[in-house]
Amino acid sequence: MSFSPCPSGPLGCSSIQEQRDRWERKRSRTAKELVQTEQRYCQQLELVTTYFVEILKAKATLRQDIRESIFSSIKAIHSVNQSLLVHLENGYYGRGFDQFCPHLHHYNTYVDNIYNASKVLGIQLKKNKAFRRFKKLQEARAEFNNHKLEDLLHLPIQRIDQYKHFLQDLAANTSPDNPEFQQLSRAVAAVCEVSQRIQNNTGRHENHLQLCRVQKLLKGRKTKVLAAGRWYIREGWLKMVPHKGAEAKPKMFFLFSDMLLQAKRCSPLHPTNGDKFTGQHAYPLQDCTVEKVFGHTRSQGGLLSLTFPKAKILLMSSNQEDFNDWYQSLSSAIRKLQSKQTVVHQRDELCRRPLRSAADSHNTPSSSSSSNNPSRKRNMVNSEPREHPHTPAVEWESSAPKRMKQSDASGQSSEVSTSSCVIL
């Protein structure tokens, strides 16, 4: 958007004025819609605070900690938005959001708790008969207009995304010379931070659900999928090609951010595990390389070669699109994991303390220091980064691996220690 001065001539002035009029009309439409939706939003927040938060507190139907888990900071949000509505109704959009943004921490608290709130609400509806009856009676009120409590609790999350679009439109159609322009621009940045926080929380929640789903698909407890920092990427059937020319057998593979899990289907005749899988091998991606053996052209599928420190496997797919997706997913996961490890190693080297100061190196001869302090050389050797020894893969169908000693386990990464997978 450009608010350049009017060029010479009546035609130039006319075109610039028409453009400014169009911007003003867009701004007016956006502002009107913002005010109307804010009024409706505050009314819905008042339903929750009046007919649920306050009455539940007075009747003590739920304990205080349970009420706080379900409703979190919605009462504070309602109070803040009522103040914002007064400014918006008076046409002070920049000033209103300038005073509103310092209170966005209430939204941050609410955003971080929303999934826990849904979980606690579901538990109470299942176990607490009095609360279940109370909720049904309140939702039957005419003021609720057939809205459920679950829908109303998600309104602050949805409102942040609406604020982002409203503010972007208002700022885009406001002249930089207008005092409100800077206020609206600051509000856009602040609201976008909360919006990004919502997206990050949504991604983590969806990833957790995927990890839980895969964990339930696997028989027994030896295969640990849930681990801190692990992300689900994809899954599917691939044929595993043996090296000795035997028949290729289909296996189920689950790809995560740090490992590739190989599994086979349980017997369909099993009474309880007929629809589950048995984990066979966990291949860590940290030191893995992947390459196409064939399948570079638009053929029917292809063959992938995955090389690990202690193993090498060949995976085949007859579907070209599926084959390309597997190759891209594996390459991306390996590249991200290895780049993360490189950054960690560089940070450790920068943070490592020097063996001796510069003053000591000038004052003390190198020959005498090495002879007088025989442990110096030993310290230098120990200060170098050590590589962890690679242990062979574990077959989960066989007996369980022996428990590592505490001194040995401390050298392993946190993700490996939380899993029964042993690095190849």
Side-chain angles (χ1 to χ4, degrees), residues 25 36 51 99 146 196 367 400:
R25 287 194 296 270
Q36 291 175 348
Y51 292 105
Q99 296 181 11
N146 295 325
Q196 186 61 47
S367 59

Side-chain angles (χ1 to χ4, degrees), residues 180-246:
E180 283 195 331
F181 180 78
Q182 294 297 330
Q183 296 173 327
L184 292 173
S185 299
R186 288 195 299 267
V188 169
V191 170
C192 283
E193 287 184 7
V194 184
S195 178
Q196 186 61 47
R197 191 187 191 105
I198 294 173
Q199 294 180 20
N200 294 340
N201 288 352
T202 301
R204 284 192 291 267
H205 178 70
E206 292 176 352
N207 178 68
H208 178 74
L209 294 180
Q210 288 282 22
L211 294 179
C212 291
R213 180 187 63 83
V214 175
Q215 187 71 70
K216 291 179 181 179
L217 282 175
L218 299 173
K219 182 187 73 173
R221 298 183 179 181
K222 292 181 181 179
T223 313
K224 301 296 182 182
V225 171
L226 289 168
R230 177 171 293 162
W231 286 81
Y232 169 86
I233 299 177
R234 64 159 300 168
E235 64 188 64
W237 289 93
L238 290 171
K239 288 186 177 180
M240 195 164 184
V241 180
H243 294 282
K244 296 184 179 180

Side-chain angles (χ1 to χ4, degrees), residues 400-416:
K402 294 182 180 180
R403 186 183 300 274
M404 292 188 298
K405 295 181 181 179
Q406 187 174 0
S407 59
D408 297 333
S410 61
Q412 303 293 336
S413 64
S414 60
E415 293 180 354
V416 175

Side-chain angles (χ1 to χ4, degrees), residues 8 26 203-204 226 285 309 338 347 397 415:
S8 60
K26 290 181 181 179
R204 284 192 291 267
L226 289 168
L285 301 180
Q338 292 177 348
R347 187 180 300 145
E397 292 178 325
E415 293 180 354

Side-chain angles (χ1 to χ4, degrees), residues 29-94:
R29 286 197 301 267
T30 302
K32 182 179 179 181
E33 186 179 358
L34 172 62
V35 173
Q36 291 175 348
T37 55
E38 186 68 19
Q39 291 171 342
R40 186 162 58 252
Y41 174 57
C42 287
Q43 291 171 0
Q44 292 172 324
L45 288 179
E46 188 173 3
L47 292 177
V48 178
T49 56
T50 302
Y51 292 105
F52 277 97
V53 178
E54 297 296 340
I55 296 181
L56 284 173
K57 181 180 179 180
K59 296 182 64 175
T61 307
L62 297 176
R63 297 199 315 264
Q64 180 179 352
D65 59 327
I66 296 178
R67 291 198 313 271
E68 292 176 352
S69 297
I70 295 176
F71 300 103
S72 186
S73 56
I74 197 168
K75 190 174 180 180
I77 289 175
H78 179 223
S79 176
V80 169
N81 278 88
Q82 282 182 315
S83 301
L84 173 63
L85 179 59
V86 173
H87 288 289
L88 297 182
E89 288 177 336
N90 292 324
Y92 303 129
Y93 309 112

Side-chain angles (χ1 to χ4, degrees), residues 61-267:
T61 307
L62 297 176
R63 297 199 315 264
Q64 180 179 352
D65 59 327
I66 296 178
R67 291 198 313 271
E68 292 176 352
S69 297
I70 295 176
F71 300 103
S72 186
S73 56
I74 197 168
K75 190 174 180 180
I77 289 175
H78 179 223
S79 176
V80 169
N81 278 88
Q82 282 182 315
S83 301
L84 173 63
L85 179 59
V86 173
H87 288 289
L88 297 182
E89 288 177 336
N90 292 324
Y92 303 129
Y93 309 112
R95 185 194 305 175
F97 277 102
D98 209 37
Q99 296 181 11
F100 168 77
C101 288
H103 301 283
L104 281 174
H105 61 89
H106 295 305
Y107 276 88
N108 287 335
T109 302
Y110 195 85
V111 163
D112 294 341
N113 183 70
I114 188 62
Y115 294 110
N116 179 63
S118 300
K119 180 181 178 181
V120 174
L121 177 61
I123 293 175
Q124 292 302 313
L125 290 176
K126 185 180 295 184
K127 295 184 177 181
N128 193 328
K129 184 178 179 180
F131 174 68
R132 186 167 62 246
R133 183 172 178 272
F134 171 81
K135 175 178 175 291
K136 187 175 181 180
L137 289 174
Q138 298 299 80
E139 292 173 345
R141 291 176 176 269
E143 298 91 331
F144 279 79
N145 195 22
N146 295 325
H147 285 105
K148 300 293 183 182
L149 176 62
E150 293 86 345
D151 302 328
L152 297 176
L153 289 178
H154 278 82
L155 288 177
I157 310 296
Q158 300 167 4
R159 190 58 178 168
I160 287 293
D161 190 58
Q162 295 172 0
Y163 282 149
K164 183 176 73 172
H165 295 295
F166 281 131
L167 287 169
Q168 288 173 343
D169 290 345
L170 284 175
N173 293 286
T174 300
S175 170
D177 300 330
N178 192 321
E180 283 195 331
F181 180 78
Q182 294 297 330
Q183 296 173 327
L184 292 173
S185 299
R186 288 195 299 267
V188 169
V191 170
C192 283
E193 287 184 7
V194 184
S195 178
Q196 186 61 47
R197 191 187 191 105
I198 294 173
Q199 294 180 20
N200 294 340
N201 288 352
T202 301
R204 284 192 291 267
H205 178 70
E206 292 176 352
N207 178 68
H208 178 74
L209 294 180
Q210 288 282 22
L211 294 179
C212 291
R213 180 187 63 83
V214 175
Q215 187 71 70
K216 291 179 181 179
L217 282 175
L218 299 173
K219 182 187 73 173
R221 298 183 179 181
K222 292 181 181 179
T223 313
K224 301 296 182 182
V225 171
L226 289 168
R230 177 171 293 162
W231 286 81
Y232 169 86
I233 299 177
R234 64 159 300 168
E235 64 188 64
W237 289 93
L238 290 171
K239 288 186 177 180
M240 195 164 184
V241 180
H243 294 282
K244 296 184 179 180
E247 183 182 359
K249 296 182 179 180
K251 301 288 184 180
M252 173 61 79
F253 286 90
F254 299 92
L255 178 60
F256 303 96
S257 58
D258 63 328
M259 74 169 182
L260 178 66
L261 176 62
Q262 174 191 330
K264 70 173 184 179
R265 187 177 290 279
C266 297
S267 172

